[in-house]
Amino acid sequence: MSDGRKEHPLFGNAVEKANLEDLEDLEERSMTLLEGRRMSEAVASVSYQDDAAGRAARKSLAGVILGVAPSAERSMRDYTIERKTEPDANLGLRAGQRLSEYTARIAGHSSILTTAALLIENTLSDRHLSVGNMAWMPIVGESIFRFDASDVAWKNAAPCMSLVDPKLREDRVDASNFERKSPVFLPQFEMDGRQQVAVLLLPLNTTFYGTGEVGGSLERTGKRIYTWNTDAWGYNQSTTSLYQSHPWVFCVLATGESFGVLADTTLRCEIDLRKEATIRIAAAAPYPLITFGPYPNPEALIVAFAQATGTIQLPPKWALGYQQCRWSYETAEKVSKIAHTFRETNIPCDVVWMDIDYMDGFKCFTFDKEVFPDPNGLSNELHNIGFKGIWMLDPGIKVEEGYEAYDTGSAEDVWIQSANGKPYAGECWPGPVSFPDFTNEKTRKWWSKLVKKFVANGVDGIWNDMNEPAVFKTVSKTMPETNIHRGDEEVGGVQPHSYYHNVYGMFQAKATYEGMLLANKDKRPFVLTRAGFVGAQRFAATWTGDNLATWEHLGMSIPMALNLGLSGQPFSGPDIGGFAGDATPKLFVRWMGIGSMMPFARGHSEKGTIDQEPWSFGPEVENLCRFALNRRYRFLPHFYTLFYQAHLKGLPVMTPLFFADPSDLSLRKRDDAFLLGPILVSVSLTPKNRKENLEGVLPKGIWQRFHFGDDNPELPLLFLKGGAIVPTGPVIQHVGEAKLTDTITLLVALNTEGKAEGMLYEDDGDSFGFKHGKYLLTHYEAQQFKEDGDEVVVRVVHSEGQWTRPNRKLHVRLLLGSTTEVEGECKDGEELRIKLPSKVEINELVQSNRKINIAEREKSQNLLDVVFEEHDSIKGVGAVLLPIDLQAGNVTVKVVPWIGGRIISMIHKPSGYEWLEGRFESGCYEEYSGNEFRSAGCTEEYKVVKRDMQALDGQEFVSLEGDIGGGLILARDVLVAKNNPDIVSINSRIEARSVGAGSGGFSRLVRLRVHPLMKLVNPLDSVIKFTDINGDHHELRATMEFGEHTYEGTYRPNGEWRLDDTETGLAIINRFDLNQVALCLISWGPGSVTLELWSEERPVSKETPITITHEYEFIDTNV
């Protein structure tokens, strides 16, 4: 590898022969590269040569940069200005400022210039640059570079599991024909204990995306995440670890150019983007860093990333249709009824899903003979009416002799082992389960054979769930990190679970995919996986996990799918309507309108919630859902073409708005719209009705609005970019209804030059024949001519593939503005000429249609508002009611008055850390009025009795009361204030308001029990600390097992205790009045812990309430 870095076009072999007394030639040659980005080549070229000539070259380059003589021998200290009041006139440095600090300031943190300055400082002091030991080389293709902290780190790096071929990371490519031969941005490596830290400084106004499956906003600056696949049911915007791990950052520079960074490690990895234009990545050493670019635009970056990590397999076309799921349709009869109801209501749908209740005792590869007695018969029934069936397979196999999967797995020795070498058994749905070691090829073949047999029941697709892997009744929510995998040698061989944890789900998906191929080598498999890693897109689609039926989660679903697409996974989407909780009619129809335009469109909800099929909310919502899904099916030709491009090049199906104009900084954070190729989908993400400035959301350029006669204020607005042609088809009930002879309708929007182009991809939709040329790819163009009056000609300019063009009609809708259009029709393949109205006529039509559109939408909105009001609000997470936000100082708190007055979120803004675990109706922060868990006080509806928001004194306050019966109320005051920026203060009381005289004015026995459920992002790195009244110090560390600890009397904490996350350096301190607290309780749970405060137990009167006053302070020990 060292040899691969010796030569460089700037210095090359001449460096080795350089006369140290005369470096004028080197200096002159350095100057040629000190223009724009090419400075990086000059810096890179001299940063790694550890000999006298290399030092001389660095010295020469330093002299060029500073404008001083090459022979300058001043030390770095000479470039640190002495303390004085005036800046140095020559260098422009502030007093006491180092050159590198100054350079970073004036250059906007450009790592090129900063690295150059560091080069100067270290070279002129005759010392090596701190990156001097770093090893790098070009790999894969244009502008892709591998960096290691040193040659030793390179040799000791674990095998690659991110790239499509691990050898791509190990083989240096010949960069002689590349436009860029050296990296532009150089990482800096350092060690922090056992952690290798890599830092990249980028130019100011760089924005960050990617990082895979993450909650929160589209733009990731200010965020920190941890790549550790986690069963994150009920996650929120601040959850730092979800179901998948993508240690990848997608960067867009201020110029619109794009740059990417991949930390090629499967281990738990911290990605810290909290500082502007700075990427900090930390994981156990060693690991390589792979950079991509810069490239001229975002598309080029994602194509390069896909070149390295692989693209999706072209899915079967039916997988692009709408899909209906629930946990669970518990009988075959119910499944049949759901499918037939779709057909009877003429609502398009292609797939119905079977969750775990089809199994016999939740045992994979089995069927419950009572409720699913004939799976083959059910499959045949579904197929006969145009449905496919997808069935769940979890990784856990029940430990039960006589159960085929367990017996054969034991015979073939496929199980993950405990540290003692025996098969590990964890708890999951069936009870004790063993986990197949999918990192081993023998195991994958065993699983694939089981899948092949399973598919013979008429199974069309397979759903791999719980494969983080999730394990019940453990604090970490997964298996011990000390468990042993016996992986294939090429991926690392025998390693602890911590090494393979993040790729476990990907390897299961791979085994499942290969099993479906075994069942039918000529049929494209469909696999959905919950857990994944970089490269998992090669085997499976994904979804965004167990979301909530809330407006917040509706809003998150767009940036989550977008960032997955920017991380290499283009086939994703949310559970439409929300998985947990009850959606309201308005929320559901809004979600259906948006979800039907996303790559993966599936409705799904959990047990205990209301029915959430399209017809479940009344005829008005049913009709709007039909409109939404009809749109999706009209767009199937376009969707399928986008998926073909995703398979061929790696382009996302769904892209952020800034793809339309990467240099427009105003588009960088926009997640209220997205692109499907040249189609812009503009959405409304709050219960409030959309303002009727219909063109106000658009990027620069021509964007023509259109619809299909389905314009409605609850559905997204649709626009087509000028210069584009998009194919659409007729409304069908399922993909199988489509015929090659169906009319193709082209949507056409001309650009300023009067031109447009687009393409349509077609094949049989289910086989691999397209790999052998059995397809048709048609390139259409439109051009305006003005010879005999304005006329637009539409024609086929080019076709690819072996298929003959079908005998069908081609219908063209030429969009002119504000849903105004002219149409024409011909035989597909022939030239079509469309006569245009005059400019005056077009302007009159556009203005008239704009007024009509606004009036019609307002009328529709008024009718819908009445409909939505007629439906009672469903008490729960789907209610249109929104949480109360308290924000002051460094703290954001969300309070839900209508369910127990609970606090559902406490976020420390500087760290982005969410401290509460749970959801609207359970968990988080709640209070009880008795010894019993969830006794009165936690579910009642509270009323807000006082509320001060954005007060002049810098504090925000809310006071709540809930009636808990017997003349008692549970009251709670919550305060955040700027003068205590890291503290949340809570005053809680049980008060007697109307206790009868017959009781002497005293209530029943009550006890105030404060129950905060704290989130453990790093469970096994969490510790509770306190000093008790006796003066003894206590430290309680989380283990794999649940546990409960009670402290009374002098063993109580002496007024405070704290919870530390030693991995992140974050902590929360809970202080309380010792005279008000009789008992303290710690209870470890799955990814969580409670630190409860209990009052004494006694009756209360109006004069003797029970009170607990306490506060939470957020600490960041890194600051």
Side-chain angles (χ1 to χ4, degrees):
M1 189 167 178
S2 298
D3 292 339
R5 296 193 303 271
K6 277 184 179 179
E7 297 186 4
H8 187 278
L10 172 60
F11 295 104
N13 294 328
V15 144
E16 299 177 5
K17 304 174 182 178
N19 183 340
L20 301 186
E21 301 298 326
D22 183 7
L23 295 173
E24 292 180 2
D25 182 52
L26 286 174
E27 183 174 344
E28 181 180 349
R29 293 166 70 185
S30 298
M31 283 295 294
T32 65
L33 289 176
L34 292 181
E35 298 176 1
R37 280 215 172 76
R38 302 205 59 200
M39 177 184 219
S40 66
E41 297 187 18
V43 174
S45 67
V46 299
S47 295
Y48 311 102
Q49 298 170 38
D50 194 18
D51 54 16
R55 288 194 295 275
R58 286 193 291 276
K59 194 172 295 184
S60 172
L61 179 57
V64 172
I65 295 172
L66 274 182
V68 299
S71 58
E73 295 292 343
R74 288 182 294 171
S75 72
M76 179 179 63
R77 289 188 297 274
D78 294 320
Y79 288 96
T80 300
I81 308 305
E82 295 179 2
R83 300 290 178 182
K84 55 186 179 182
T85 56
E86 295 297 325
D88 184 279
N90 295 321
L91 295 177
L93 293 168
R94 293 194 297 263
Q97 187 179 30
R98 287 178 55 180
L99 175 66
S100 59
E101 296 171 350
Y102 166 73
T103 311
R105 176 168 62 86
I106 64 169
H109 287 84
S110 165
S111 64
I112 309 167
L113 298 178
T114 302
T115 303
L118 287 168
L119 174 72
I120 295 163
E121 291 174 343
N122 289 275
T123 298
L124 294 181
S125 62
D126 204 27
R127 294 192 291 113
H128 232 332
L129 184 65
S130 62
V131 297
N133 293 325
M134 180 171 61
W136 68 269
M137 67 177 181
I139 61 171
V140 185
E142 173 74 46
S143 296
I144 303 176
F145 299 95
R146 169 180 173 167
F147 293 88
D148 293 88
S150 66
D151 283 327
V152 173
W154 172 67
K155 293 174 183 176
N156 292 334
C160 176
M161 285 180 260
S162 303
L163 306 191
V164 64
D165 181 353
K167 293 180 180 178
L168 289 174
R169 196 191 73 180
E170 309 305 322
D171 295 339
R172 181 185 187 278
V173 298
D174 181 4
S176 59
N177 294 321
F178 291 166
E179 180 180 347
R180 180 174 291 117
K181 299 172 179 60
S182 301
V184 169
F185 299 120
L186 305 174
Q188 300 173 22
F189 290 101
E190 62 182 32
M191 290 298 296
D192 182 5
R194 296 182 178 179
Q195 297 271 301
Q196 174 183 296
V197 179
V199 177
L200 270 159
L201 304 177
L202 300 175
L204 286 179
N205 293 320
T206 295
T207 48
F208 296 136
Y209 308 91
T211 66
E213 186 182 58
V214 286
S217 59
L218 171 65
E219 213 266 301
R220 306 306 299 163
T221 299
K223 305 294 184 181
R224 175 170 61 172
I225 69 159
Y226 295 87
T227 60
W228 187 252
N229 292 2
T230 302
D231 180 358
W233 182 97
Y235 58 87
N236 59 32
Q237 295 196 41
S238 299
T239 304
T240 55
S241 298
L242 295 184
Y243 308 90
Q244 303 197 22
S245 293
H246 294 77
W248 158 255
V249 184
F250 189 110
C251 317
V252 183
L253 310 183
T255 60
E257 294 171 291
S258 294
F259 176 73
V261 181
L262 173 66
D264 194 18
T265 177
T266 64
L267 300 172
R268 186 197 308 265
C269 181
E270 175 189 1
I271 302 175
D272 189 346
L273 306 175
R274 290 177 294 170
K275 292 184 179 180
E276 184 181 4
T278 301
I279 301 172
R280 181 185 183 276
I281 297 174
Y287 61 88
L289 207 66
I290 302 175
T291 66
F292 296 74
Y295 297 105
N297 53 54
E299 289 93 337
L301 172 58
I302 198 64
V303 167
F305 186 60
Q307 179 186 2
T309 62
T311 66
I312 63 167
Q313 297 296 328
L314 186 61
K317 195 172 184 180
W318 56 259
L320 310 190
Y322 178 67
Q323 311 186 29
Q324 186 64 48
C325 185
R326 182 173 177 82
W327 177 34
S328 281
Y329 297 128
E330 294 179 332
T331 66
E333 183 181 0
K334 180 66 173 177
V335 171
S336 174
K337 182 178 179 181
I338 291 292
H340 281 280
T341 304
F342 271 101
R343 296 294 176 253
E344 292 162 5
T345 55
N346 288 317
I347 298 176
C349 188
D350 264 273
V351 183
V352 64
W353 292 63
M354 270 55 71
D355 211 310
I356 55 175
D357 290 287
Y358 79 83
M359 302 176 190
D360 177 13
F362 304 137
K363 292 182 291 187
C364 292
F365 305 105
T366 69
F367 300 91
D368 186 321
K369 297 300 182 183
E370 293 187 8
V371 292
F372 283 86
D374 183 11
N376 235 322
L378 175 62
S379 296
N380 290 334
E381 181 185 354
L382 292 174
H383 294 162
N384 288 337
I385 57 173
F387 273 90
K388 307 294 183 183
I390 297 178
W391 304 66
M392 176 180 283
L393 287 177
D394 290 344
I397 300 298
K398 186 174 184 180
V399 178
E400 180 181 288
E401 292 185 4
Y403 164 36
E404 181 185 4
Y406 178 72
D407 289 343
T408 58
S410 297
E412 297 198 31
D413 191 21
V414 302
W415 310 125
I416 294 172
Q417 297 176 340
S418 296
N420 61 12
K422 296 180 179 179
Y424 167 75
E427 189 83 11
C428 206
W429 295 113
V433 295
S434 289
F435 288 88
D437 186 357
F438 292 111
T439 66
N440 187 289
E441 183 179 11
K442 179 181 70 173
T443 303
R444 293 195 298 274
K445 288 182 176 179
W446 162 82
W447 180 269
S448 294
K449 291 176 184 176
L450 291 175
V451 168
K452 176 184 177 182
K453 183 177 179 180
F454 184 66
V455 168
N457 292 287
V459 170
D460 299 294
I462 291 177
W463 175 13
N464 290 154
D465 195 22
M466 306 295 288
N467 56 346
E468 291 75 30
V471 181
F472 295 165
K473 299 181 181 178
T474 65
V475 173
S476 69
K477 296 187 177 182
T478 191
M479 64 178 62
E481 294 183 26
T482 55
N483 276 4
I484 301 300
H485 291 256
R486 292 164 289 172
D488 299 330
E489 284 302 318
E490 57 268 27
V491 298
V494 176
Q495 295 284 351
H497 180 67
S498 58
Y499 178 88
Y500 286 118
H501 174 85
N502 284 335
V503 295
Y504 185 80
M506 178 173 73
F507 277 111
Q508 187 197 13
K510 179 180 181 181
T512 303
Y513 182 90
E514 290 169 348
M516 294 198 73
L517 278 180
L518 272 182
N520 190 335
K521 64 180 178 63
D522 298 320
K523 188 175 182 180
R524 300 178 212 166
F526 178 80
V527 179
L528 186 81
T529 182
R530 189 167 80 174
F533 188 69
V534 176
Q537 70 272 5
R538 303 193 297 268
F539 313 110
T542 196
W543 85 109
T544 59
D546 296 339
N547 59 0
L548 305 181
T550 66
W551 291 94
E552 178 186 41
H553 274 257
L554 168 61
M556 277 200 297
S557 64
I558 292 175
M560 289 183 77
L562 289 172
N563 276 317
L564 276 165
L566 297 181
S567 303
Q569 174 53 280
F571 201 176
S572 74
D575 285 340
I576 294 174
F579 175 70
D582 297 330
T584 58
K586 187 179 183 74
L587 174 63
F588 184 81
V589 75
R590 191 76 65 78
W591 211 325
M592 183 64 78
I594 295 169
S596 66
M597 300 301 292
M598 297 175 77
F600 178 62
R602 181 185 72 162
H604 187 32
S605 53
E606 73 170 346
K607 284 187 176 183
T609 61
I610 62 173
D611 289 343
Q612 290 191 175
E613 291 75 35
W615 53 83
S616 300
F617 296 90
E620 298 85 4
V621 172
E622 176 184 325
N623 196 44
L624 285 174
C625 288
R626 186 180 295 105
F627 278 175
L629 292 174
N630 282 348
R631 277 185 175 184
R632 182 174 187 86
Y633 279 76
R634 287 183 188 273
F635 277 128
L636 278 180
H638 179 54
F639 268 116
Y640 199 50
T641 302
L642 292 175
F643 270 91
Y644 176 69
Q645 292 296 312
H647 162 68
L648 199 66
K649 299 180 180 179
L651 289 169
V653 172
M654 171 185 179
T655 57
L657 201 57
F658 66 75
F659 270 52
D661 186 357
S663 63
D664 186 349
L665 297 180
S666 69
L667 302 179
R668 298 289 182 86
K669 298 179 184 292
R670 290 278 301 277
D671 53 15
D672 59 346
F674 56 89
L675 300 172
L676 296 170
I679 293 175
L680 189 154
V681 182
S682 174
V683 305
S684 178
L685 298 171
T686 72
K688 297 179 182 178
N689 297 332
R690 180 194 291 272
K691 295 179 181 179
E692 289 305 331
N693 181 12
L694 301 184
E695 279 87 29
V697 301
L698 304 177
K700 298 172 186 175
I702 295 174
W703 294 92
Q704 306 289 22
R705 193 163 89 82
F706 68 95
H707 53 74
F708 298 98
D710 54 8
D711 193 26
N712 189 281
E714 292 299 325
L715 298 180
L717 295 170
L718 303 175
F719 300 85
L720 182 61
K721 185 177 182 179
I725 297 176
V726 163
T728 65
V731 172
I732 52 179
Q733 295 305 298
H734 58 90
V735 166
E737 275 192 355
K739 300 183 292 294
L740 289 172
T741 54
D742 288 339
T743 298
I744 293 296
T745 298
L746 300 182
L747 302 174
V748 180
L750 301 177
N751 60 18
T752 55
E753 298 176 353
K755 297 179 179 180
E757 61 183 15
M759 67 176 71
L760 168 63
Y761 174 78
E762 301 168 275
D763 62 23
D764 63 19
D766 206 29
S767 79
F768 291 100
F770 70 95
K771 292 188 174 183
H772 308 289
K774 296 180 180 179
Y775 66 90
L776 176 64
L777 179 62
T778 304
H779 296 263
Y780 294 97
E781 76 166 12
Q783 187 167 359
Q784 184 177 357
F785 293 93
K786 300 183 180 180
E787 297 173 357
D788 300 316
D790 278 354
E791 189 176 57
V792 173
V793 176
V794 181
R795 61 191 171 201
V796 173
V797 291
H798 178 60
S799 295
E800 300 173 32
Q802 298 173 4
W803 269 19
T804 301
R805 184 169 306 280
N807 184 13
R808 63 190 174 194
K809 290 183 180 179
L810 182 72
H811 187 84
V812 174
R813 296 172 57 189
L814 180 59
L815 309 181
L816 303 177
S818 194
T819 70
T820 304
E821 59 188 65
V822 292
E823 300 177 273
E825 196 168 86
C826 69
K827 182 180 179 181
D828 187 21
E830 295 180 351
E831 186 175 274
L832 173 66
R833 293 179 175 266
I834 300 176
K835 185 77 173 176
L836 288 176
S838 69
K839 289 185 178 180
V840 173
E841 291 173 319
I842 290 174
N843 288 334
E844 289 177 352
L845 286 169
V846 168
Q847 293 302 321
S848 174
N849 281 344
R850 182 176 286 116
K851 293 178 182 178
I852 293 171
N853 289 338
I854 292 174
E856 288 295 323
R857 288 173 65 85
E858 184 177 350
K859 180 180 178 182
S860 298
Q861 188 68 70
N862 291 336
L863 292 172
L864 286 171
D865 288 344
V866 173
V867 170
F868 293 146
E869 286 176 8
E870 289 175 351
H871 289 79
D872 292 334
S873 291
I874 300 161
K875 184 178 179 182
V877 300
V880 172
L881 296 167
L882 297 175
I884 295 172
D885 288 336
L886 304 178
Q887 298 189 55
N890 295 326
V891 176
T892 298
V893 174
K894 291 182 182 291
V895 181
V896 180
W898 67 92
I899 315 175
R902 67 190 340 100
I903 301 172
I904 61 165
S905 177
M906 287 197 303
I907 296 175
H908 183 232
K909 290 188 287 187
S911 63
Y913 201 92
E914 167 64 78
W915 279 98
L916 292 180
E917 170 75 7
R919 58 176 182 174
F920 277 72
E921 72 273 23
S922 65
C924 302
Y925 177 101
E926 53 192 17
E927 295 178 358
Y928 316 139
S929 60
N931 292 315
E932 297 80 15
F933 177 65
R934 309 214 78 209
S935 54
C938 69
T939 58
E940 289 76 9
E941 184 170 355
Y942 281 52
K943 62 180 180 180
V944 177
V945 295
K946 186 177 180 181
R947 180 176 177 180
D948 287 329
M949 311 299 288
Q950 299 179 343
L952 293 177
D953 58 0
Q955 70 177 25
E956 297 197 356
F957 169 89
V958 64
S959 182
L960 311 163
E961 292 182 356
D963 188 336
I964 58 174
L968 300 178
I969 64 105
L970 207 163
R972 185 174 313 125
D973 304 330
V974 185
L975 170 71
V976 294
K978 284 185 178 179
N979 59 351
N980 290 304
D982 299 302
I983 292 177
V984 178
S985 300
I986 302 173
N987 179 269
S988 302
R989 306 172 301 282
I990 298 178
E991 299 178 355
R993 291 287 173 87
S994 57
V995 177
S999 63
F1002 284 90
S1003 73
R1004 66 186 186 271
L1005 282 174
V1006 289
R1007 161 173 262 164
L1008 180 55
R1009 181 176 172 185
V1010 175
H1011 179 87
L1013 186 63
M1014 299 296 182
K1015 182 190 295 288
L1016 302 179
V1017 173
N1018 300 292
L1020 300 184
D1021 293 308
S1022 300
V1023 58
I1024 296 171
K1025 303 175 182 178
F1026 66 89
T1027 301
D1028 66 23
I1029 296 173
N1030 296 319
D1032 295 329
H1033 184 66
H1034 299 255
E1035 286 196 7
L1036 285 80
R1037 295 187 176 274
T1039 65
M1040 291 295 294
E1041 305 301 323
F1042 292 174
E1044 193 168 282
H1045 308 272
T1046 302
Y1047 301 92
E1048 298 181 81
T1050 59
Y1051 296 103
R1052 288 172 294 160
N1054 194 14
E1056 71 174 49
W1057 50 2
R1058 64 185 283 164
L1059 170 63
D1060 280 69
D1061 183 330
T1062 59
E1063 170 73 19
T1064 62
L1066 302 176
I1068 185 168
I1069 299 176
N1070 179 208
R1071 299 186 183 93
F1072 53 90
D1073 186 337
L1074 193 59
N1075 296 318
Q1076 298 172 341
V1077 175
L1079 179 151
C1080 296
L1081 174 70
I1082 297 171
S1083 180
W1084 300 98
S1088 62
V1089 65
T1090 59
L1091 288 84
E1092 294 193 23
L1093 306 175
W1094 294 33
S1095 74
E1096 63 179 330
E1097 186 178 34
R1098 62 173 174 84
V1100 298
S1101 67
K1102 290 183 179 180
E1103 294 77 22
T1104 60
I1106 291 177
T1107 300
I1108 294 181
T1109 302
H1110 63 120
E1111 68 180 25
Y1112 297 98
E1113 180 178 5
F1114 306 105
I1115 305 292
D1116 187 345
T1117 62
N1118 300 305
V1119 178

